[in-house]
Amino acid sequence: ESQWLRNFRMRKGTFLELCELLSPALKRQDTWMRAALSIQKRVAIALWKLATPDSYRSVANQFGVGKSTVGVAVMQVARAIVDLLLPKVVTLGDVQVIIDGFAAMGFPNCGGAIDGTHIPILGPEHQGSQYINRKGYFSMVLQALVDHKGRFTNINVGWPGKVHDARVFKNSGLFRRLQQGVYFPDRKITVGDVEMPTVILGDPAYPLMPWLMKPYTGALDTEKELFNYRLSKCRMVVECAFGRLKGRWRSLLTRSDLSPKNIPIVIAACCVLHNLCEIKGETFMLGWEFEANRLAADYAQPDTRAIRRSQRDALRIREALKARFQTEQGNQ
């Protein structure tokens, strides 16, 4: 079992279940590969490649197949994961459970935490400069909303690294649905004398909205510091989720040599696999994070500029929450 976990990031039982779930899509691919490679072998090759920063050649040698076979297997499996499992596995689930989870961590009526992370890539031939981020390397942005347990509930992937997190967000379907008030079930609470909808939490790079709370910036008094502390404690779950995603699927830490149109499929597939492992309670081994940090050191995450625009309603909600946290603090 520990060998399986090390190589494929999941136990054998979960691996076989995954093969079963993907078989409708992988069976259909009646190509030259089908006779040569079973579904299990194709899934094994793909997971091995995603879990390690190994080259195609070394993975090919490991499985006794040709180098191009590895590339085909990775894309077939990633596409099957995205087509069959993404809509079922990366989904909101029971909102009340999520709200209760964040409330237990100290933030009321919260439905998720949002952030973006940069995945390094090789410079594309076309419009390459669009992909250079503020740290000076080529990347693609993954925006993710996570629940209280660090599972992805909504992802958006494929924007070039030069684009600011706030712009990625504003152009996403998630933003539109939150703006229209249809993403979460309508569940308002009253804080002080202000009505507050279900909110998500972001860092200073995001716009302050009635449904998106972010930290105070600038000069902070103790009340603002307490608010920021509560918010960042809950927002940590998204940073931890990215850490675990990349710790398991380390290919996301080194520059992907796939074409720009295939990279988003592979990143999305890794997000699905992250959720599956978390749902199944797969062990996250101690050494993985250390290894991930070592690889990640080559590609530091760009720091995002704070956005100052905000809406009057949003400011009132944030002020009311700040006052409530202060009162709660006083009553402890």
Side-chain angles (χ1 to χ4, degrees), residues 54-326:
D54 295 359
S55 67
Y56 284 92
R57 174 158 287 121
S58 89
V59 178
N61 293 342
Q62 198 73 40
F63 286 91
V65 296
K67 203 171 100 174
S68 60
T69 305
V70 175
V72 174
V74 168
M75 285 319 301
Q76 281 189 350
V77 171
R79 275 204 185 87
I81 288 172
V82 170
D83 292 348
L84 294 177
L85 303 183
L86 183 70
K88 291 185 196 137
V89 177
V90 178
T91 151
L92 195 52
D94 188 334
V95 179
Q96 192 55 53
V97 171
I98 298 172
I99 287 174
D100 292 346
F102 279 113
M105 289 154 73
F107 212 100
N109 213 20
C110 170
I114 190 169
D115 204 0
T117 188
H118 287 253
I119 310 291
I121 62 170
L122 286 176
E125 286 167 24
H126 306 294
Q127 296 172 318
S129 64
Q130 287 300 307
Y131 288 86
I132 298 176
N133 63 34
R134 295 178 65 193
K135 285 282 188 222
Y137 62 90
F138 295 99
S139 68
M140 204 172 259
V141 180
L142 162 64
Q143 170 189 289
L145 183 70
V146 305
D147 67 12
H148 59 300
K149 288 191 162 170
R151 296 175 192 162
F152 299 118
T153 55
N154 182 284
I155 60 169
N156 182 310
V157 62
W159 280 82
K162 191 176 179 180
V163 181
H164 189 275
D165 280 359
R167 192 172 145 220
V168 174
F169 180 50
K170 287 242 168 94
N171 284 287
S172 67
L174 175 65
F175 181 89
R176 281 193 298 279
R177 301 206 311 266
L178 285 162
Q179 186 72 307
Q180 291 160 0
V182 296
Y183 187 71
F184 293 116
D186 189 22
R187 183 186 182 283
K188 292 190 171 64
I189 62 166
T190 305
V191 183
D193 56 356
V194 180
E195 269 212 330
M196 170 181 165
T198 302
V199 297
I200 63 173
L201 308 178
D203 67 13
Y206 290 92
L208 183 68
M209 310 289 275
W211 41 262
L212 194 157
M213 290 291 114
K214 67 180 208 173
Y216 288 95
T217 48
L220 302 177
D221 56 21
T222 51
E223 287 189 15
K224 287 180 178 174
E225 277 178 357
L226 175 62
F227 175 89
N228 284 3
Y229 168 74
R230 289 261 194 120
L231 186 140
S232 79
K233 196 172 135 191
C234 293
R235 223 185 51 74
M236 284 297 287
V237 291
V238 65
E239 288 170 23
C240 291
F242 285 147
R244 289 167 81 90
L245 169 76
K246 294 173 180 182
R248 277 201 181 98
W249 311 109
R250 285 176 305 173
S251 60
L252 299 178
L253 290 163
T254 53
R255 291 190 299 179
S256 171
D257 49 4
L258 294 162
S259 70
K261 72 174 198 302
N262 282 343
I263 293 170
I265 299 168
V266 169
I267 297 172
C270 290
C271 291
V272 174
L273 291 168
H274 163 88
N275 274 16
L276 278 177
C277 290
E278 294 291 323
I279 290 162
K280 290 282 180 195
E282 294 296 343
T283 309
F284 186 88
M285 287 183 153
L286 281 174
W288 292 353
E289 195 147 353
F290 173 76
E291 174 69 1
N293 291 340
R294 194 177 59 76
L295 289 166
D298 295 339
Y299 301 105
Q301 289 293 313
D303 32 347
T304 43
R305 292 163 304 217
I307 281 214
R308 294 259 187 276
R309 288 189 307 274
S310 49
Q311 301 182 336
R312 238 191 4 250
D313 296 350
L315 288 165
R316 285 178 58 213
I317 292 170
R318 187 164 71 171
E319 289 296 307
L321 280 169
K322 182 185 75 168
R324 172 168 155 176
F325 293 167
Q326 192 59 35

Side-chain angles (χ1 to χ4, degrees), residues 5-25:
L5 192 61
R6 212 163 275 124
N7 295 336
F8 303 113
R9 300 322 205 217
M10 57 184 72
R11 290 164 303 187
K12 191 172 182 182
T14 308
F15 172 85
L16 293 173
E17 228 173 287
L18 177 63
C19 293
E20 195 58 39
L21 289 169
L22 298 179
S23 76

